Amino acid sequence: MVASRAVGSLSRFTASRMLRCPGYICRNFTRSSALLTRTHINYGVKGDVAVIRINSPNSKVNTLGQEVHSEFIEVMNEVWSSNQIRSAVLISSKPGCFIAGADLNMLTACTTPQEVTQISQEAQRMFEKVEKSTKPIVAAINGSCLGGGLELAISCQYRIATKDKKTVLGSPEVLLGILPGAGGTQRLPKMVGVPAAFDMMLTGRGIRADRAKKMGLVDQLVEPLGPGIKPPEERTIEYLEEVAITFAKGLADKKISPKRDKGLVEKLTSYAMSIPFVRQQIYKKVEERVRKQTKGLYPAPLKIIDVVKTGIEQGSDAGYLSESQKFGELAMTKESKALMGLYRGQTLCKKNKFGAPQKEVKQLAILGAGLMGAGIAQVSVDKGLQTILKDATLAALGRGQQQVFRGLNDKVKKKALTSFERDAFFSNLTGQLDYQGFEKADMVIEAVFEDLSLKHKVLKEVEAVIPDHCVFASNTSALPINEIAAVSKRPEKVIGMHYFSPVDKMQLLEIITTQKTSKDTTASAVEVGLKQGKVIIVVKDGPGFYTTRCLAPMMSEVIRILQEGVGPKKLDSLTTSFGFPVGAATLVDEVGVDVAKHVAENLGKVFGERFAGGSLEVLKQMIAKGFLGRKSGKGFYIYQEGVKNKNLNSDIDSILASLKMPSQPDVSSDEDIQYRLVTRFVNEAVLCLQEGVLASPTEGDIGAVFGLGFPPSLGGPFRFVDLYGAQKIVDRLRKYEAAYGKQFTPCQLLVDHASSPNKKFYQ
Amino acid sequence: MDGPQGRMEREGESHSMPGFAKPLLPTAPGVGTVQAKSKRTLAKPNLRNIVVVDGVRTPFLLSGTSYKDLMPHDLARAALSGLLHRTSVPKDVVDYIIFGTVIQEVKTSNVAREAALGAGFSDRTPAHTVTMACISSNQAMTTAVNLIASGQCDVVVAGGVELMSDVPIRHSRKMRKMMLDLNKAKTLGQRLSLISKFRLNFLSPELPAVAEFSTNETMGHSADRLAAAFAISRLEQDEYALRSHSLAKKAQDEGLLSDVVPFKVPGKDTVTQDNGIRPSSLEQMAKLKPAFIKPYGTVTAANSSFLTDGASAVLILAEEKALAMGYKPKAYLRDFVYVSQDPKDQLLLGPTYATPKVLEKAGLTMNDIDAFEFHEAFSGQILANLKAMDSDWFAQNYMGRKAKVGSPPLEKFNIWGGSLSLGHPFGATGCRLVMATANRLQKEGGQYGLVAACAAGGQGHAMIVEAYPK
């Protein structure tokens, strides 16, 4: 049972889940204020309780850096040496954040594992003193309590958390390719049990306060308050402090016991864990699972298991030592650099660099209630946007409305929403077949079929009914926006908003601007996207924009490889073992064979031989036989409702056989196949930067990883070039160029980087 | 002072109807200023004046005591009979009957009609039932006011009833579905196949929700948070509860609770007075554990209103009709408002929102009011409302007002006890508040009274009651 729980929890550990939540924070906080004492931490004494308040200046969040660390030591030493003080409360003055993690800059500034290990050991020593404090310390948690913040909290004798949506506890270090380096790997298993601790540390998931209470991660909950004598957030923190003080007093007076009553399941679990054989089985199972899911691409999870194991089997001293050493090693890996880079990039792409739009979008209208249209509606209504969903037929509209409802209802089942909130959100959606109400729309997003004349038709219809300020956004994956805007009376209000399917799961939004698109229109689109919770890249218009354009040559190579006789299953396994979350053949099925053909055809016309590779005929014949991919039930695989293991579609064999291409043995090893795909992707991405389609490498990496599933362990195409070496990539491209031709010719920018090794996309 | 004697006198009164209005001695003990006021009346041109002739209620009892075997319409009938007895109104003169109730007995969902028929009202008198949580009987009364003001009716009985001793507990949805399907099943095979789907968990019952439907939070929990938001201590809450019980006890002993009519419960003794009034000591109250937010909350059983059974009824007429019938009314019912706000964080702040609004509507200020009767759901709720009304910050930031309305002076506030001590049958409290106000104005010689209450759903109500000139 215990093992199954631990393993079950791991099933959610997938590469695509990486980087969902922060734990380490980049903060541009200068460390010049050495003269000012106590910038971050101060304390006051109430009765015999010291109230220690953390409040880093000029920042929305508190992070654990060198300065905070030394101030904390100072304050704690005063608390411990004072005769008046008998207990302490540790609290943040910031609404929505206790401590969001360690300072990322502090880690990236280190150049050797030893430096990082030392940082870890300093923190370990401090937290050990906190743990052994004879004066009880109560952590009063309101808002995010992540990474080092959680490690500090679990060193305290008692934890009280507000039951607020913003209060999230977690160990997201693994998502940055590192591990909890301040005693977390040793304390967490003791506190919540080994299976739950593995779950937290290996998935990095955030845990809400009420769940944390059930797990034993916090001891008491405090309900957030509404308006009273002060603004709610302010008074809630004050109230949390008041409650924490009473508990601190109670603990000091021994009226309250810091020990928690364990439930039956917990008792059984801890009993089972006391049997060495059971423990070994759990380590084994968890390790197997991790190996299977990370495919050896991510070193951090295995090290976490190792460190936890060391602590339990060989005692805390060995555990702490192992933790700090492995922490140092991991921080120097390419993987952690890639993941940290993505984390920084993600933070950047969650800002609106175009400023606030002149008019806030309150009324949204979406044309087309298909998968995309309804998906866009779903991520809009629950953010309070009034949304019209329009389609041509009642049946299509009904399907879309049901999709939105199901999406919201699933959240109710997961207890992320109440049924009442679901109903209130759903009533933000108006389904209709006509243009009623469009006169009040601030933005229209069209998600109709990918056909230029159809897009022209709806654009003209819509422009006849919308107000002057209304933005017209097209959700297209390949049609150039300027061609769509050609029939517009107001091209400055036309923009591309390329969502990825499924919209509620995929974080990326690619916004495409034409030369005529106004800055305010862009600002408006970015604002709506951010409201919808998206990570946003803004790119210039062009065939395939950025994402589709990078994907297309890789897809062309996929078809070529299949034609050379590599089976879809083999190809899928080669790509996933390289770090792609979805195999290449499966990806074609997911995207849709017709869409793939449409894109390949259009872009092929524009880019010519650079997009050469496989033959379009494969896709055409598949379409002729109705093999459109998942949506039609058959593609390279057969899809059946409720069947998990999909089988190959044997009818494809004859198509591939009839269009067989010769394979060249010297460029067809497993590794070559992987690199043929990846180098074409990377080459095209770099060309996009060279041509100015992309504004920055960061956006290129974010777009590739969050939109196309480029291996997160590589950090995106640009980070990959930096870490792997431009020269090596150019060498590979030249080799394939010799075998296949111009589609592999490296672009100028890539060649430049190869010829001067000091040139990096990330300095 | 005039304890038992006063009571007998009033009981005598009730037999000499109509024209009963022997003014009660204006020697209200413990009340500040008792100067006769002669301010303008709140009559409005072209609108009928609407008066309360009198009102009664059954004694309010802790649920599970003497009323526990009754049905809600039995209690409502007792209130109606009491009203008939007290006012001697001819049954066939009554144009309409309206009752408020909250937890409905499904067999008598229009409890007003069932009670009226049983009480011997004409079967030609229509009756309907309204529900608006704790302000249900307020809604019954204001519906009556509207019917009279618009000329539809002249004589209306409004009341309310709640029987918390018995609440509908349902079969689970799955069980209900199976039973309904069984009804429709035609063949033995169909029935057997339905029965084969039966699972033991179908039998787990569904209790009436104690929580707010929209937020899933119980009211006590919300009250505790509200008290914390306004930084109201446990001690303050206990002190206020003790005040309520002490004042109620005093009023009961002095015979001031003249709206109470005795009720002979079938098979049991006659109930003559409220049984929830229990002045305790602060030390005793301090021993109680928090009832909702455990272990550190401040709302306890002692500083909350308790589950109560009871019914109330008032006779409301157009003034000219009342005079033509020879009545001497007790009070005018004047301006009223309903308000609503966030059901999560401001669930119980209805009075704060309603009070300034109704005062403005009537052209009055806090100083004009001689008698305040606010519904006391929880000590913490009352104290939070008092603080909110006294806060410029709250008025400006949450109510969109320029300044606070001010908090009512306690010497004019619920001085005959309140829901905390007298009890709170949800559907019946509104009429009690209005009659307490009318009786206090009569007794103390004041002119204006203000009734206010909060209700589940984040709603609230306030009404101005004006004393009928002597």
Side-chain angles (χ1 to χ4, degrees):
Chain A
M1 182 190 69
V2 182
S4 69
R5 217 181 112 205
V7 171
S9 65
L10 281 171
S11 62
R12 279 156 288 210
F13 179 83
T14 59
S16 64
R17 250 194 57 79
M18 303 292 281
L19 304 155
R20 275 283 165 114
C21 69
Y24 278 69
I25 300 298
C26 339
R27 192 158 49 76
N28 298 323
F29 182 69
T30 49
R31 285 198 212 130
S32 58
S33 52
L35 289 176
L36 295 168
T37 48
R38 307 266 177 81
T39 357
H40 305 268
I41 301 179
N42 270 300
Y43 77 102
V45 182
K46 294 198 171 175
D48 55 8
V49 183
V51 180
I52 305 164
R53 297 192 182 87
I54 316 166
N55 192 3
S56 290
N58 310 322
S59 170
K60 275 190 194 164
V61 295
N62 295 316
T63 52
L64 295 175
Q66 301 285 20
E67 257 185 50
V68 176
H69 186 79
S70 53
E71 284 187 20
F72 184 61
I73 291 179
E74 262 175 51
V75 167
M76 285 317 296
N77 284 338
E78 282 181 32
V79 166
W80 282 320
S81 59
S82 157
N83 291 326
Q84 188 199 345
I85 297 167
R86 299 183 58 228
S87 60
V89 167
L90 186 60
I91 193 167
S92 156
S93 308
K94 289 191 197 297
C97 179
F98 176 67
I99 297 172
D103 185 358
L104 199 56
N105 295 336
M106 175 177 74
L107 292 184
T108 44
C110 297
T111 50
T112 64
Q114 289 73 25
E115 281 175 70
V116 183
T117 298
Q118 203 193 330
I119 290 176
S120 162
Q121 283 172 342
E122 278 166 21
Q124 282 178 350
R125 273 195 291 276
M126 184 60 209
F127 290 2
E128 196 184 353
K129 278 174 107 177
V130 170
E131 187 181 33
K132 297 201 169 136
S133 168
T134 48
K135 298 181 180 179
I137 305 167
V138 177
I141 303 161
N142 177 47
S144 48
C145 173
L146 300 169
L150 180 71
E151 293 179 283
L152 174 55
I154 61 175
S155 307
C156 296
Q157 279 67 39
Y158 209 75
R159 282 148 300 280
I160 303 176
T162 55
K163 202 177 151 189
D164 191 285
K165 277 191 175 168
K166 282 186 183 159
T167 300
V168 176
L169 298 91
S171 289
E173 288 89 347
V174 71
L175 303 179
L176 297 171
I178 47 179
L179 53 73
T185 61
Q186 307 302 304
R187 284 192 191 92
L188 209 50
K190 285 182 196 144
M191 180 160 280
V192 298
V194 176
F198 272 141
D199 176 39
M200 284 178 71
M201 290 190 284
L202 295 176
T203 64
R205 87 174 75 202
I207 291 168
R208 293 226 178 113
D210 45 353
R211 172 113 186 79
K213 170 90 170 22
K214 280 188 198 136
M215 288 170 61
L217 199 53
V218 302
D219 301 286
Q220 293 294 340
L221 294 179
V222 165
E223 294 280 339
L225 301 181
I229 49 171
K230 285 179 182 173
E233 304 78 34
E234 217 176 292
R235 176 65 194 143
T236 298
I237 295 178
E238 215 176 72
Y239 178 52
L240 172 66
E241 184 181 305
E242 290 164 13
V243 172
I245 288 173
T246 62
F247 277 92
K249 279 192 176 137
L251 286 162
D253 296 342
K254 307 253 187 291
K255 282 183 185 157
I256 296 165
S257 161
K259 284 208 181 111
R260 199 170 50 89
D261 292 335
K262 289 186 174 177
L264 182 65
V265 176
E266 253 180 282
K267 279 181 189 156
L268 285 173
T269 310
S270 59
Y271 170 71
M273 290 308 296
S274 67
I275 307 167
F277 173 74
V278 175
R279 288 204 303 269
Q280 295 306 328
Q281 286 302 308
I282 289 181
Y283 300 142
K284 213 175 109 194
K285 283 265 177 205
V286 174
E287 248 176 54
E288 266 171 32
R289 192 84 188 211
V290 165
R291 275 185 207 286
K292 200 175 155 207
Q293 288 189 339
T294 62
K295 301 184 196 299
L297 296 166
Y298 298 90
L302 288 173
K303 296 238 158 127
I304 289 172
I305 298 170
D306 197 37
V307 170
V308 170
K309 202 158 113 183
T310 309
I312 294 173
E313 306 300 330
Q314 298 169 33
S316 323
D317 288 349
Y320 283 118
L321 184 64
S322 169
E323 179 186 271
S324 62
Q325 286 172 346
K326 298 273 180 355
F327 184 64
E329 290 165 25
L330 283 173
M332 291 296 126
T333 56
K334 280 184 187 171
E335 288 82 2
S336 81
K337 290 199 160 63
L339 292 171
M340 285 186 200
L342 281 174
Y343 175 64
R344 286 168 197 269
Q346 193 187 15
T347 312
L348 284 178
C349 292
K350 286 228 169 227
K351 290 187 179 133
N352 191 347
K353 56 187 174 191
F354 297 89
Q358 281 165 19
K359 196 166 187 309
E360 190 195 348
V361 173
K362 288 180 177 158
Q363 177 71 58
L364 186 68
I366 297 164
L367 299 174
L371 272 180
M372 294 305 287
I376 299 167
Q378 189 192 324
V379 299
S380 304
V381 290
D382 65 350
K383 313 301 182 314
L385 281 169
Q386 290 295 321
T387 306
I388 294 172
L389 186 61
K390 181 196 173 304
D391 206 304
T393 68
L394 200 58
L397 180 63
R399 196 217 61 83
Q401 286 169 310
Q402 180 59 30
Q403 183 188 331
V404 177
F405 183 82
R406 199 187 328 111
L408 294 171
N409 201 37
D410 285 348
K411 288 193 179 173
V412 175
K413 285 183 191 155
K414 288 179 196 152
K415 302 211 168 143
L417 284 184
T418 67
S419 61
F420 207 81
E421 285 168 323
R422 173 200 64 201
D423 298 345
F425 288 146
F426 193 61
S427 65
N428 286 337
L429 184 77
T430 318
Q432 59 191 53
L433 301 174
D434 54 19
Y435 285 109
Q436 188 195 332
F438 274 59
E439 71 280 358
K440 289 190 199 117
D442 301 307
M443 177 180 285
V444 175
I445 302 176
E446 68 79 15
V448 300
F449 189 69
E450 292 272 59
D451 174 76
L452 191 61
S453 57
L454 180 63
K455 303 236 178 208
H456 281 167
K457 180 171 165 271
V458 298
L459 173 55
K460 280 188 237 166
E461 279 176 14
V462 165
E463 281 194 345
V465 288
I466 53 175
D468 288 342
H469 73 273
C470 181
V471 171
F472 182 91
S474 179
N475 172 57
T476 171
S477 54
L479 294 175
I481 303 301
N482 62 53
E483 283 180 30
I484 293 172
V487 298
S488 171
K489 288 184 284 188
R490 38 209 268 303
E492 73 280 2
K493 291 284 182 192
V494 180
I495 196 164
M497 287 173 88
H498 179 198
Y499 290 87
F500 294 75
S501 183
V503 180
D504 59 323
K505 300 268 170 8
M506 297 294 283
Q507 287 189 77
L508 189 71
L509 169 63
E510 183 181 29
I511 288 178
I512 305 108
T513 59
T514 70
Q515 289 185 330
K516 290 181 183 161
T517 307
S518 73
K519 193 180 155 231
D520 188 56
T521 301
T522 314
S524 204
V526 174
E527 199 204 41
V528 168
L530 289 177
K531 204 179 258 181
Q532 292 167 332
K534 296 292 166 200
V535 176
I536 294 170
I537 62 170
V538 180
V539 305
K540 286 222 177 91
D541 191 23
F545 326 126
Y546 167 66
T547 51
T548 309
R549 186 170 154 187
C550 288
L551 194 60
M554 188 172 107
M555 282 297 147
S556 174
E557 200 60 24
V558 166
I559 303 299
R560 167 90 201 191
I561 291 165
L562 290 167
Q563 282 176 284
E564 288 180 8
V566 177
K569 274 214 166 142
K570 164 92 175 166
L571 181 59
D572 273 357
S573 112
L574 285 176
T575 34
T576 51
S577 67
F578 198 77
F580 283 93
V582 177
T586 306
L587 187 61
V588 178
D589 278 0
E590 294 287 339
V591 168
V593 178
D594 51 339
V595 176
K597 180 224 144 202
H598 187 76
V599 169
E601 213 166 32
N602 278 348
L603 296 189
K605 271 183 222 158
V606 183
F607 293 105
E609 56 190 352
R610 229 188 40 257
F611 277 36
S615 97
L616 206 55
E617 197 54 32
V618 176
L619 299 176
K620 280 184 183 161
Q621 288 195 18
M622 283 178 77
I623 294 167
K625 291 200 174 172
F627 303 149
L628 301 183
R630 180 186 279 279
K631 60 187 163 191
S632 70
K634 277 184 182 178
F636 289 108
Y637 295 94
I638 296 171
Y639 299 89
Q640 282 165 304
E641 198 79 35
V643 178
K644 221 178 169 191
N645 287 330
K646 48 191 200 273
N647 290 315
L648 278 173
N649 179 8
S650 54
D651 295 339
I652 296 287
D653 297 350
S654 59
I655 300 177
L656 290 174
S658 68
L659 296 165
K660 193 162 173 64
M661 287 192 178
S663 87
Q664 305 186 31
D666 54 330
V667 286
S668 296
S669 72
D670 285 357
E671 202 189 48
D672 278 320
I673 288 175
Q674 289 172 331
Y675 275 96
R676 273 161 63 188
L677 295 171
V678 173
T679 51
R680 285 194 74 175
F681 189 119
V682 170
N683 192 26
E684 200 61 34
V686 177
L687 187 57
C688 284
L689 183 65
Q690 181 185 316
E691 289 179 0
V693 171
L694 277 177
S696 68
T698 304
E699 285 178 293
D701 282 345
I702 293 298
V705 172
F706 290 94
L708 305 172
F710 191 89
S713 55
L714 305 179
F718 297 94
R719 179 77 60 182
F720 175 60
V721 173
D722 278 1
L723 292 174
Y724 186 81
Q727 185 61 52
K728 281 194 202 165
I729 292 168
V730 169
D731 290 347
R732 286 209 178 253
L733 281 164
R734 294 283 186 216
K735 176 177 162 194
Y736 303 141
E737 186 186 16
Y740 291 104
K742 286 201 171 168
Q743 64 261 41
F744 283 102
T745 309
C747 70
Q748 190 56 46
L749 185 58
L750 199 53
V751 174
D752 289 349
H753 273 247
S755 54
S756 54
N758 289 334
K759 262 195 166 170
K760 298 271 182 201
F761 291 112
Y762 294 93
Q763 289 305 335
Chain B
M1 283 187 197
D2 64 349
Q5 227 177 341
R7 174 169 302 226
M8 279 172 65
E9 203 176 274
R10 265 185 312 285
E11 275 167 11
E13 265 172 34
S14 58
H15 292 285
S16 60
M17 285 288 137
F20 65 94
K22 236 181 267 173
L24 292 167
L25 295 172
T27 52
V31 179
T33 50
V34 192
Q35 67 194 63
K37 295 190 183 178
S38 55
K39 283 183 205 149
R40 67 183 174 85
T41 171
L42 294 175
K44 287 182 182 169
N46 307 323
L47 267 185
R48 295 176 98 185
N49 279 323
I50 293 152
V51 295
V52 172
V53 164
D54 209 342
V56 299
R57 64 182 177 92
T58 68
F60 286 177
L61 301 191
L62 296 160
S63 66
T65 58
S66 295
Y67 298 153
K68 70 178 176 187
D69 297 326
L70 298 177
M71 282 180 70
H73 71 286
D74 295 327
L75 265 184
R77 192 174 63 240
L80 283 174
S81 305
L83 186 70
L84 285 174
H85 189 62
R86 171 79 59 96
T87 61
S88 302
V89 65
K91 286 168 188 167
D92 52 356
V93 176
V94 175
D95 296 318
Y96 208 96
I97 297 169
I98 310 163
F99 259 66
T101 196
V102 180
I103 310 274
Q104 287 186 323
E105 162 63 50
V106 284
K107 286 181 191 162
T108 58
S109 61
N110 187 0
V111 67
R113 178 68 173 160
E114 312 307 337
L117 287 173
F121 278 90
S122 161
D123 58 9
R124 302 296 172 89
T125 304
H128 81 260
T129 301
V130 294
T131 188
M132 201 172 178
C134 306
I135 50 178
S136 293
S137 59
N138 305 80
Q139 184 54 258
M141 288 183 289
T142 57
T143 305
V145 167
N146 288 340
L147 282 173
I148 297 170
S150 63
Q152 307 298 314
C153 299
D154 292 326
V155 183
V156 181
V157 171
V161 62
E162 206 69 44
L163 187 80
M164 293 304 290
S165 293
D166 182 33
V167 293
I169 297 172
R170 298 198 295 180
H171 270 303
S172 69
R173 181 99 193 219
K174 285 175 190 157
M175 186 69 187
R176 291 185 338 245
K177 190 161 183 287
M178 194 179 80
M179 290 157 89
L180 289 170
D181 288 347
L182 266 179
N183 250 347
K184 288 181 206 145
K186 293 208 172 62
T187 66
L188 184 64
Q190 283 175 340
R191 285 193 196 109
L192 285 176
S193 97
L194 272 171
I195 289 170
S196 72
K197 285 178 195 144
F198 175 80
R199 297 289 173 273
L200 260 185
N201 71 2
F202 285 20
L203 290 178
S204 65
E206 226 173 65
L207 299 166
V210 285
E212 195 71 7
F213 182 71
S214 60
T215 61
N216 220 10
E217 185 182 26
T218 61
M219 197 178 273
H221 198 280
S222 191
D224 206 319
R225 289 196 303 117
L226 185 71
F230 282 94
I232 293 156
S233 69
R234 165 81 181 264
L235 181 64
E236 285 173 271
Q237 293 179 49
D238 285 352
E239 280 170 353
Y240 183 84
L242 186 58
R243 170 193 189 266
S244 180
H245 280 277
S246 309
L247 290 175
K249 182 82 173 85
K250 192 158 172 253
Q252 192 178 49
D253 290 347
E254 290 171 5
L256 297 173
L257 306 177
S258 61
D259 52 342
V260 178
V261 291
F263 176 23
K264 169 70 181 81
V265 182
K268 295 206 168 78
D269 289 341
T270 302
V271 180
T272 56
Q273 60 178 22
D274 306 326
N275 71 357
I277 306 171
R278 297 172 181 181
S280 170
S281 68
L282 286 175
E283 294 71 42
Q284 284 294 323
M285 293 166 92
K287 283 183 190 160
L288 284 180
K289 286 191 173 155
F292 301 98
I293 297 189
K294 296 163 187 171
Y296 57 85
T298 52
V299 173
T300 67
N303 59 36
S304 314
S305 56
F306 47 86
L307 294 180
T308 312
D309 300 337
S312 57
V314 296
L315 180 61
I316 303 175
L317 287 86
E319 183 184 22
E320 71 271 16
K321 179 78 177 181
L323 296 177
M325 288 173 71
Y327 282 119
K328 174 89 171 115
K330 281 194 166 173
Y332 292 107
L333 297 183
R334 297 302 193 188
D335 293 285
F336 62 85
V337 296
Y338 287 92
V339 295
S340 59
Q341 62 285 333
D342 170 20
K344 173 127 185 90
D345 290 333
Q346 303 187 43
L347 181 69
L348 304 171
L349 285 180
T352 299
Y353 283 83
T355 300
K357 230 174 142 180
V358 79
L359 286 173
E360 239 160 48
K361 217 171 161 201
L364 299 176
T365 67
M366 276 295 210
N367 292 331
D368 295 321
I369 305 296
D370 305 299
F372 292 91
E373 280 293 330
F374 277 40
H375 163 50
E376 300 167 342
F378 302 88
S379 286
Q381 164 261 335
I382 279 291
L383 295 171
N385 273 286
L386 298 186
K387 269 200 178 179
M389 283 191 274
D390 208 24
S391 160
D392 279 327
W393 182 83
F394 192 86
Q396 286 155 4
N397 287 284
Y398 286 91
M399 297 167 65
R401 309 186 66 85
K402 286 202 182 85
K404 65 185 182 184
V405 64
S407 102
L410 275 183
E411 64 273 16
K412 296 178 181 173
F413 190 84
N414 292 8
I415 56 167
W416 290 358
S419 299
L420 284 172
S421 44
L422 301 170
H424 173 41
F426 305 145
T429 290
C431 293
R432 177 189 69 73
L433 293 173
V434 165
M435 285 322 298
T437 310
N439 288 334
R440 275 178 58 194
L441 291 173
Q442 291 288 328
K443 172 107 183 149
E444 298 159 9
Q447 189 175 2
Y448 301 123
L450 195 158
V451 169
C454 57
Q459 310 210 73
H461 165 76
M463 179 157 70
I464 301 289
V465 176
E466 182 183 342
Y468 201 80
K470 285 168 188 161

